[in-house]
Amino acid sequence: MKAAGERRARCGPSIGHAALRRVALALLVAGCAAAFPCAFAAQIQPPPTAAQRSAAKAAALARDPRLLPSAAKDRWQGFDPDKIAAGDMPAALGDVREALADGDLPLAIAALHAALEAQPDFPPALHQLGVLYFRLQRYGDALVCFQRFLGVAPDRVAETRGLAHALYSLGRYAEARAHYERVVAAAPGDAEARRGLALARYRGGDAEGALADLNAVLESEPDHADAWTWKAQVLLDLDRPEEARVAAERARDLAPWTSRPWFVLSTACTDLGQPKAAQAASERFQRLAEVDQEIRRLEARLEYEPGDLAARRTLVESLASVGDRRSVRTQLARMLQQRPGDVALRIFALDVLDGLGDVEAGGLTARDLERVGAESAAAWKRLEAWYAKVRDRTKQIEAGERWRRLSRP
């Protein structure tokens, strides 16, 4: 959730119940099979131009999801993802799958609108549409989709934590709390719903209740950095600064690149009369907060324009500057996927991973660079330095010989 101090790219995956996400993916893949009769026609049609794609995305983003056609009464009564007939799946689900694979959320929204035009109120499409609207911070539209999903599939409460997330993000904390309680009752093991319930309780002034819920989250997921951060914040409000310091340090150790744990740690140290520690944590918070603002700006840009290579490269550099290895790996993978034959981009990736000391990912990138840059002197020169760094003498000698041979006029 936005108020939880997380970057939006990390909020998106938490919105959908894991089981339904797997079901939705299976349905999208099956949708490709359902669309097979159209495959020949698609082959003889030219692919849409960039201008056509942009127009389709703009039109989809301008649409009001409340105006989507409605299914006949009780059309989806007793909806069970395991029992969906092939004829129920709109062909446009194949386009949704492709757009999601490319990270193009607006294009996926356009395809979902098409799917819902063809098969009104198809529950997996409604749910996925809500997820994507939420990721784009269109919380009102997300709320519409999740409410409609629950309306046509009322037995699927366990999959509607996104509805509560949307209410929370709109500042409707009492309503969010009520729905989180419904989700937790239906899915007691849903840690993200319980974390949301904790935050809704906290916003409503129930710090003790929030603390109990956060402890429940941490019992099932002891490495949940955000839950530790909020636990520290709640403990501060309960005037328990020493416990808050311990919780904040735990959050900091789990996610040292995230700004909020450092802020809470600084406050706890101030309350404990530890000015030097408080100052150090405050300075680190300010540095990370500045970078985080740039990261969020770039992530928002890439949600709409996933093909903007310059923005993604800058995002990688920003993430690397704060040491967020996991996110760096994710963004580099996206870049290399977009440019499968780009030698310079793989050298850049190896430079970044080398700077982070990420030997595992660096080794995989080095092997990829050997393949893509087999005839590139620059590639082998960089590989020589890499293999020297990781002390692989045999590979270092081989790379050195290759780049010197390729450098000869």
Side-chain angles (χ1 to χ4, degrees):
M1 287 169 290
K2 183 179 179 182
E6 293 181 316
R7 288 198 279 270
R8 288 187 301 110
R10 292 179 184 147
C11 297
S14 72
I15 198 170
H17 188 272
L20 191 71
R21 289 205 306 275
R22 290 194 295 271
V23 169
L25 180 58
L27 289 173
L28 294 180
V29 172
C32 294
F36 182 75
C38 301
F40 180 75
Q43 289 175 2
I44 63 175
Q45 294 292 329
T49 65
Q52 289 171 328
R53 284 195 297 270
S54 295
K57 292 193 288 186
L61 292 172
R63 292 190 65 175
D64 184 342
R66 293 173 298 182
L67 302 181
L68 284 165
S70 299
K73 185 179 180 181
D74 299 330
R75 168 68 176 86
W76 300 107
Q77 186 175 13
F79 167 72
D80 183 346
D82 295 326
K83 297 179 181 178
I84 293 293
D88 289 332
M89 292 182 291
L93 290 179
D95 296 330
V96 177
R97 181 189 62 81
E98 292 179 8
L100 290 176
D102 292 337
D104 195 327
L105 303 193
L107 196 59
I109 286 174
L112 284 165
H113 276 284
L116 288 165
E117 291 282 356
Q119 187 62 281
D121 287 336
F122 184 55
L126 278 176
H127 190 279
Q128 186 64 54
L129 189 57
V131 170
L132 298 187
Y133 276 134
F134 188 91
R135 285 185 59 181
L136 294 178
Q137 294 190 338
R138 293 178 57 157
Y139 304 124
D141 288 337
L143 181 60
V144 167
C145 295
F146 286 122
Q147 286 176 329
R148 193 156 173 173
F149 170 83
L150 190 58
V152 299
D155 296 334
R156 313 298 297 186
V157 174
E159 284 89 36
T160 60
R161 114 164 69 102
L163 195 161
H165 281 354
L167 288 166
Y168 182 96
S169 299
L170 291 167
R172 295 160 62 174
Y173 302 127
E175 294 172 82
R177 173 176 173 170
H179 196 72
Y180 279 128
E181 288 172 342
R182 289 186 65 191
V183 176
V184 169
D190 189 336
E192 286 305 309
R194 190 170 291 277
R195 181 188 68 116
L197 177 57
L199 269 59
R201 289 189 197 279
Y202 177 68
R203 296 294 182 187
D206 182 7
E208 291 287 358
L211 183 60
D213 282 322
L214 288 167
N215 283 333
V217 172
L218 292 168
E219 185 176 347
S220 63
E221 297 190 19
D223 291 340
H224 198 306
D226 191 64
W228 279 110
T229 302
W230 279 101
K231 179 176 179 177
Q233 180 64 63
V234 172
L235 287 167
L236 279 177
D237 286 8
L238 292 172
D239 198 23
R240 294 158 64 176
E242 177 56 28
E243 293 173 79
R245 180 189 65 78
V246 172
E249 288 179 343
R250 176 67 172 151
R252 174 205 64 190
D253 293 344
L254 287 167
W257 56 83
T258 306
S259 61
R260 187 168 174 79
W262 294 93
F263 174 78
V264 181
L265 179 59
S266 175
T267 305
C269 290
T270 297
D271 290 352
L272 290 168
Q274 301 172 356
K276 290 185 178 180
Q279 179 65 24
S282 177
E283 290 174 357
R284 183 59 178 163
F285 161 72
Q286 291 171 9
R287 162 61 181 153
L288 290 173
E290 291 173 1
V291 177
D292 194 55
Q293 185 176 13
E294 174 67 0
I295 287 172
R296 284 186 279 111
R297 183 188 70 79
L298 291 166
E299 287 176 337
R301 164 71 179 168
L302 289 165
E303 296 278 29
Y304 287 91
E305 296 295 339
D308 188 339
L309 191 64
R312 200 174 297 278
R313 180 173 178 137
T314 303
L315 175 59
V316 166
E317 292 169 337
S318 295
L319 291 166
S321 74
V322 296
D324 188 348
R325 280 192 184 186
R326 183 174 61 181
S327 296
V328 164
R329 287 183 175 192
T330 299
Q331 296 300 329
L332 284 175
R334 175 69 70 184
M335 291 176 69
L336 300 183
Q337 179 186 14
Q338 291 175 335
R339 298 290 184 89
D342 193 322
V343 173
L345 200 56
R346 280 154 178 77
I347 293 174
F348 166 74
L350 191 55
D351 288 343
V352 170
L353 295 167
D354 192 2
L356 284 170
D358 191 344
V359 176
E360 180 183 9
L364 294 173
T365 303
R367 288 196 288 276
D368 189 37
L369 181 57
E370 287 184 19
R371 177 184 61 82
V372 175
E375 301 302 322
S376 166
W380 289 105
K381 184 174 183 179
R382 182 63 185 87
L383 286 165
E384 181 188 34
W386 167 259
Y387 287 122
K389 182 84 171 283
V390 298
R391 298 183 180 180
D392 187 334
R393 182 62 176 165
T394 300
K395 297 285 284 183
Q396 177 190 351
I397 292 172
E398 177 189 354
E401 291 175 348
R402 293 284 292 271
W403 87 258
R404 289 178 181 86
R405 183 171 68 250
L406 289 167
S407 297
R408 294 186 192 123

